[in-house]
Amino acid sequence: MHLIRRNRILRQSPAIRSIVAETILRPSDFIAPLFIVEGNNVREEISSMQNYFRMSIDLTVKEVKELYAMGIRSVLLFIKCKDELKDNKGTEALNPDGLMQRSIRAIKSVCPEMLVMTDVALDPFSTYGHDGIVEGNEIVNDPTVEVLAEMSVSHAQAGADFVAPSDMMDGRIIAIREALEGNGFTKTGIMSYSAKYASCFYGPFRDALDSAPGFGDKKTYQMDYANRREAIKETMMDVAEGADIVMIKPAMAYLDIIREVRNEVDIPVSAYHVSGEYAMIKAAAKMGWLDENRAILESLTSIKRAGADLIATYFAKDAVKLIN
Ligand code: PBG
């Protein structure tokens, strides 16, 4: 044969492959989610998320220092609220001395350079396990948005660099932006979960925080996974309302959405490789059915290749070790 172009030339050795690789993962691509609980010296493995832990603040700050030393530059905080503090109004979410607010202050005091992002939604604080206030059978939008805006200000006051509303209520980004501006928080960013789908892949996360909805599901606020155009509509609205970073969630079943959003917006795009995606790889690896390390790198590289500038993932630490 006399071929003009032999594509295999560029694949023949690790050296060649490395100089032509289009997508390279780096430590600062990753956002490390952290689950925080009350207490001291507490480190509890989450049963459906093998080798991932809920930790008390003292151990969380050590973890944050380690993550920073590895090159990770952002953490995303979730707290497990005590049952007796839960209600239908998110009262505890606004407590200036709540677990979230104390966690933010503790992390910023030991590792001020680490970017602290905070989950903004009512589910961990809700007796109903819903992201908003419940009236009858309904998750009511506008009263919820008021609380989310106050919650965001409370996180900013404690020192959060970014608030990350994950609730999917309408109008919350503009409300949060106005509340931040109104309180002088002109440097606090908003990372909006813009296209968050009602997904079965959040199951292990709800075990981690004991936050599964008590009745019904989240389909009246989270998106229908049948829809693509709607993701663009949601995202463009969040951009117009002042989001600094937008997010697609989950990641691997939504690579088409990540790509489409990346093509549409001119701000950073993040993707959340969620708890169920973590659990699937862990479970298959445990069975000996998948090579865990290769599955991690292939998954995260695919998410970045699809267009994610940032990836929230429970594999952040493993991935950094594998890259180095
Ligand atoms: C809560 C929230 C959820 C996740 C992040 N924030 C769960 C949900 O919406 O039920 C899921 C994260 C994961 O599964 O890793 N608003």
Side-chain angles (χ1 to χ4, degrees):
M1 288 172 90
H2 294 269
L3 295 183
I4 301 275
R5 179 172 303 282
R6 288 185 182 272
N7 292 335
R8 292 182 57 192
I9 288 171
L10 296 182
R11 295 184 207 128
Q12 63 189 303
S13 69
I16 295 187
R17 291 193 293 274
S18 79
I19 65 165
V20 301
E22 298 174 36
T23 307
I24 315 279
L25 293 170
R26 19 165 228 173
S28 58
D29 292 337
F30 305 122
I31 301 169
L34 299 174
F35 298 123
I36 306 168
V37 288
E38 290 288 1
N40 239 297
N41 206 25
V42 180
R43 189 165 185 269
E44 310 164 337
E45 188 171 47
I46 298 153
S47 54
S48 48
M49 297 179 71
Q50 221 191 22
N51 204 33
Y52 217 81
F53 300 85
R54 284 183 289 256
M55 281 182 276
S56 48
I57 292 180
D58 54 325
L59 297 187
T60 299
V61 300
K62 284 189 193 157
E63 178 75 9
V64 169
K65 280 197 257 184
E66 203 182 314
L67 293 169
Y68 194 83
M70 294 174 78
I72 292 170
R73 292 291 173 262
S74 56
V75 290
L76 179 57
L77 309 188
F78 297 95
I79 63 102
K80 185 166 190 283
C81 182
K82 289 185 167 164
D83 278 340
E84 59 267 31
L85 297 174
K86 295 183 183 182
D87 63 17
N88 186 30
K89 296 184 298 190
T91 308
E92 180 59 15
L94 307 179
N95 178 358
D97 275 313
L99 182 55
M100 177 61 94
Q101 289 80 353
R102 277 180 282 131
S103 302
I104 300 166
R105 287 197 293 267
I107 294 170
K108 289 310 273 187
S109 75
V110 300
C111 192
E113 304 82 11
M114 182 64 98
L115 298 171
V116 170
M117 303 176 159
T118 58
D119 187 60
V120 172
L122 295 187
D123 51 328
F125 305 96
S126 160
T127 31
Y128 296 103
H130 273 292
D131 289 31
I133 295 168
V134 176
E135 281 173 20
N137 274 332
E138 200 184 325
I139 290 71
V140 290
N141 196 86
D142 301 9
T144 300
V145 169
E146 276 177 44
V147 182
L148 297 174
E150 278 183 68
M151 192 175 170
S152 300
V153 170
S154 171
H155 292 182
Q157 254 152 6
D161 298 286
F162 282 83
V163 291
S166 66
D167 54 285
M168 290 299 281
M169 299 296 131
D170 289 323
R172 87 265 211 233
I173 301 304
I174 182 82
I176 290 171
R177 178 60 79 201
E178 278 172 358
L180 291 172
E181 288 285 318
N183 287 275
F185 293 107
T186 53
K187 292 183 182 170
T188 311
I190 304 175
M191 178 169 74
S192 170
Y193 289 64
S194 302
K196 177 172 177 179
Y197 287 87
S199 170
C200 74
F201 294 109
Y202 309 148
F205 173 96
R206 294 175 188 172
D207 294 341
L209 295 188
D210 185 22
S211 63
F215 70 88
D217 52 38
K218 298 193 175 186
K219 290 182 183 169
T220 68
Y221 43 107
Q222 298 179 350
M223 284 177 49
D224 183 346
Y225 53 72
N227 295 351
R228 181 178 55 82
R229 290 188 303 257
E230 190 184 2
I232 307 301
K233 177 182 72 175
E234 284 280 2
T235 306
M236 296 316 274
M237 284 178 72
D238 285 0
V239 173
E241 290 179 28
D244 299 285
I245 302 174
V246 288
M247 184 189 270
I248 319 303
K249 180 183 177 184
M252 287 201 70
Y254 300 85
L255 296 178
D256 57 329
I257 309 296
I258 296 172
R259 169 47 54 193
E260 197 137 358
V261 166
R262 178 61 289 166
N263 290 346
E264 288 293 323
V265 305
D266 52 11
I267 63 174
V269 172
S270 61
Y272 201 141
H273 187 234
V274 300
S275 57
E277 302 179 83
Y278 175 86
M280 283 195 292
I281 291 179
K282 281 290 185 186
K286 192 176 175 185
M287 294 298 288
W289 294 342
L290 272 185
D291 178 323
E292 179 172 344
N293 291 343
R294 291 171 59 199
I296 293 170
L297 287 179
E298 186 173 335
S299 301
L300 299 177
T301 303
S302 305
I303 295 166
K304 186 167 181 181
R305 189 199 63 227
D309 303 290
L310 287 163
I311 307 169
T313 175
Y314 305 98
F315 285 123
K317 228 171 153 177
D318 303 272
V320 173
K321 286 182 196 154
L322 292 169
I323 294 166
N324 292 333

